[in-house]
Amino acid sequence: HIDISDNKFSGHADMMFAPSAVHANYSHNKITSVFFRRFNAAYENLQFVDLSYNLIGQDVSEIFRNMPPNLVELILSDNAMRGTLPDPFPNLEYIRRLSIANNDIHGPLPRFQRFTPRVRELDLSNQGQTDIGGLTGRVTAGFSKLDDLLVLNLALNDLTSIPSDLGNLQKLKVLNVSSNLLNQPIPPELGKLAGVLTVLDLSQNKLHGSIPPMFANFEDTSVHLSGNVDLLSHRAPLMLCFRPKFDLVNNTEVCPLERNVLKEFYESAKGQEWTENYLWLDDFISHCSWHGIKCNEMNNTIELILTSN
């Protein structure tokens, strides 16, 4: 076990100088470059590496060139690494945590599902340290093969789309793709993660269309959709507007106040037992079209007629 963290070591770091090392913590120093030597006893033994909060400015593909194959945890966050991630990516069969957040990497994502099959936490967020950095392109289909994935953080990049099969990640707790360039409707399959996700953050993108009806089932999930201009012109599913962890719950365009009040009236008056309750509590149709409601040109309720009910 090697721990030289929180010092002022600088220059080059040889990660293989101790042949029996399993755990190496070099974080919070001033290291500028790092190298893994393949033909060394430590190459097979090393399982935990933390190089976060240094000044590593190498091309990221150089760092991954001779990556030890039995790593379980690799933390390279908060450095100045540049270039593109290698494709094909190194085969890290046992990796559980891979964090490369807060660097200056650009280009497309490799197919992690093929090379990191057991990963639980994948954090590639905030690669825009300069105008050059930022992951680009699509998040390709196939992430559903990462059966153990708990955290996927791709925030603060330039990604343009996410696949529907993310909704098949039945262990996923955190999905953060905020502050990208997502230009698509929200995949309705993400609604299948209700009861599983604790955080769903798709805010600050270019998502369009309506919020999928299944999002109403996110009872205990923090749902963040703000900053998607076109999305905000559509009403949210009615029940989503009653979820306190929905970030637009107080936005009267997305969650009209009158609709909320009418829902509470309907439930207190046992509306489900009414003779006529056509369209009441419909997730997307304006409350002005609900049976017995008359609105003015501003979509404000001016009359409620519920005779013979």
Side-chain angles (χ1 to χ4, degrees), residues 15-299:
M15 302 305 297
M16 301 298 187
F17 80 92
S20 60
V22 174
H23 189 292
N25 186 352
Y26 288 40
S27 65
H28 294 86
N29 280 288
K30 297 183 178 181
I31 295 168
T32 54
S33 62
V34 63
F35 181 64
F36 295 92
R37 285 181 288 130
R38 185 165 189 159
F39 300 103
N40 185 287
Y43 181 74
E44 298 288 341
N45 294 329
L46 205 56
Q47 295 181 21
F48 301 90
V49 171
D50 189 347
L51 284 159
S52 61
Y53 294 96
N54 276 286
L55 302 174
I56 300 171
Q58 287 170 277
D59 191 297
V60 66
S61 61
E62 293 180 7
I63 297 173
F64 278 97
R65 184 168 297 157
N66 293 311
M67 194 60 65
N70 296 317
L71 283 176
V72 175
E73 188 169 302
L74 176 62
I75 308 174
L76 299 171
S77 56
D78 296 279
N79 280 285
M81 292 184 295
R82 51 188 168 76
T84 60
L85 290 167
D87 192 8
F89 200 72
N91 187 15
L92 299 176
E93 181 180 354
Y94 304 103
I95 199 79
R96 294 293 187 273
R97 182 185 181 194
L98 177 58
S99 177
I100 321 178
N102 304 321
N103 278 281
D104 203 25
I105 300 168
H106 65 275
L109 288 169
R111 296 184 180 275
F112 287 105
Q113 61 269 24
R114 180 178 177 184
F115 301 103
T116 62
R118 302 182 186 181
V119 68
R120 295 177 181 172
E121 179 181 341
L122 182 58
D123 189 349
L124 300 170
S125 61
N126 194 21
Q127 298 301 328
Q129 303 297 307
T130 68
D131 292 338
I132 299 175
L135 298 170
T136 56
R138 299 179 298 111
V139 180
T140 58
F143 266 82
S144 60
K145 296 178 181 178
L146 297 174
D147 296 329
D148 295 326
L149 193 62
L150 300 175
V151 176
L152 178 59
N153 191 349
L154 301 172
L156 292 159
N157 282 292
D158 293 327
L159 299 166
T160 55
S161 68
I162 55 175
S164 61
D165 72 342
L166 292 179
N168 296 326
L169 291 168
Q170 288 303 307
K171 294 182 181 179
L172 195 64
K173 298 295 183 183
V174 176
L175 175 58
N176 188 348
V177 202
S178 62
S179 299
N180 274 274
L181 300 174
L182 302 184
N183 189 358
Q184 64 180 112
I186 298 176
E189 291 82 0
L190 295 182
K192 295 190 294 184
L193 297 175
V196 180
L197 279 178
T198 57
V199 175
L200 172 61
D201 195 342
L202 302 175
S203 61
Q204 306 302 323
N205 279 286
K206 298 180 179 181
L207 296 169
H208 50 83
S210 58
I211 302 170
M214 288 179 66
F215 274 41
N217 297 325
F218 283 122
E219 294 186 31
D220 299 313
T221 305
S222 294
V223 179
H224 303 273
L225 299 176
S226 61
N228 291 282
V229 177
D230 183 79
L231 202 68
L232 302 186
S233 64
H234 300 268
R235 291 180 175 86
L238 178 58
M239 286 307 301
L240 184 58
C241 293
F242 285 82
R243 307 303 187 199
K245 294 182 180 180
F246 178 38
D247 69 336
L248 297 173
V249 72
N250 294 318
N251 184 306
T252 56
E253 293 294 321
V254 177
C255 293
L257 181 59
E258 281 195 21
R259 187 180 66 161
N260 294 349
V261 172
L262 287 166
K263 172 190 175 292
E264 293 175 345
F265 165 75
Y266 178 86
E267 292 176 344
S268 63
K270 298 182 179 180
Q272 67 275 14
E273 300 177 8
W274 295 351
T275 305
E276 286 288 346
N277 57 9
Y278 181 64
L279 295 181
W280 275 78
L281 305 193
D282 187 281
D283 272 325
F284 296 107
I285 294 178
S286 169
H287 62 276
C288 294
S289 297
W290 295 358
H291 174 75
I293 295 177
K294 183 178 180 181
C295 294
N296 61 17
E297 63 276 4
M298 301 299 293
N299 289 324

